[in-house]
Amino acid sequence: TFQNLFPQLDLRMEWARYDGQLPSFRPDRNEAFIGLQFSIPLFNFSPRGRNRSAEFELQGRKFELSLKKQQLRVQLDQLVSELRVAKEVIINNFGEIEASDRLAQAERKKFERGDSNLFIVNAREVDAALARLKAVESLLDFHEKDLKLRLIQNSWIRQY
């Protein structure tokens, strides 16, 4: 128990009348004895050490939990900002699709009037197809980041 960790102090006092012959340095026949015993049992240091060890272990676990929470917060903030950027990239890519489609359509009209050649029309259509491909890749990137965010949130909810 916790009380066994403290040192023990025993005090004993006795009073006695001595009827025998006293040495020459003792002027009176009454004697008083006071005994003081102070003991620190060494085996009691072991529970104290276990208590301190448990306290340090608890402090370590609290620090570790705090560190994990901070790391998780940083990961979540980073993913949220990446999602915002990915959303802006998607918006820009769809704007690029619209612009490249208009250019390809205008180049086809020029070709039909005879003001352009087939190579330029083909180049504009390839640009439009590449813009669509970039938009699909940006959508995949957005959904990948969204999935990572949801996985981190779900794992955090399960742990805590």
Side-chain angles (χ1 to χ4, degrees):
T1 66
F2 190 69
Q3 289 181 348
N4 289 340
L5 298 178
F6 296 112
Q8 296 177 352
L9 177 65
D10 292 330
L11 180 64
R12 184 179 58 144
M13 189 166 128
E14 295 178 5
W15 176 265
R17 179 141 181 102
Y18 186 71
D19 291 334
Q21 187 173 356
L22 293 174
S24 60
F25 63 87
R26 293 291 298 218
D28 60 7
R29 294 185 168 258
N30 294 332
E31 291 182 355
F33 293 102
I34 297 176
L36 179 67
Q37 181 179 3
F38 184 74
S39 66
I40 301 175
L42 295 178
F43 65 89
N44 285 341
F45 286 136
S46 177
R48 182 179 294 163
R50 283 194 298 270
N51 283 349
R52 295 291 289 179
S53 175
E55 287 173 6
F56 288 134
E57 180 76 21
L58 181 62
Q59 284 178 344
R61 294 289 171 104
K62 285 180 181 179
F63 177 74
E64 188 177 319
L65 179 63
S66 173
L67 179 66
K68 292 283 185 186
K69 284 181 179 181
Q70 289 175 358
Q71 288 174 343
L72 183 63
R73 175 58 50 204
V74 167
Q75 283 181 335
L76 288 175
D77 291 343
Q78 182 180 0
L79 277 173
V80 167
S81 65
E82 287 178 6
L83 277 172
R84 287 184 188 137
V85 169
K87 184 178 178 182
E88 291 176 18
V89 167
I90 289 171
I91 291 169
N92 291 338
N93 284 341
F94 278 107
E96 187 178 344
I97 288 173
E98 290 176 12
S100 62
D101 280 344
R102 281 194 306 251
L103 284 173
Q105 189 178 14
E107 200 62 46
R108 263 188 249 113
K109 286 181 183 178
K110 281 174 68 177
F111 177 72
E112 289 171 1
R113 288 187 308 226
D115 293 336
S116 181
N117 61 27
L118 191 57
F119 294 112
I120 296 176
V121 172
N122 190 23
R124 298 288 185 215
E125 289 177 354
V126 167
D127 288 342
L130 289 175
R132 284 187 180 85
L133 184 61
K134 275 176 55 177
V136 169
E137 288 174 351
S138 64
L139 280 170
L140 286 173
D141 186 48
F142 176 81
H143 288 298
E144 179 184 356
K145 287 176 180 17
D146 185 47
L147 182 63
K148 282 182 185 177
L149 179 67
R150 291 174 193 268
L151 285 173
I152 289 175
Q153 287 173 339
N154 286 339
S155 68
W156 186 79
I157 289 170
R158 274 189 241 126
Q159 286 178 0
Y160 306 105

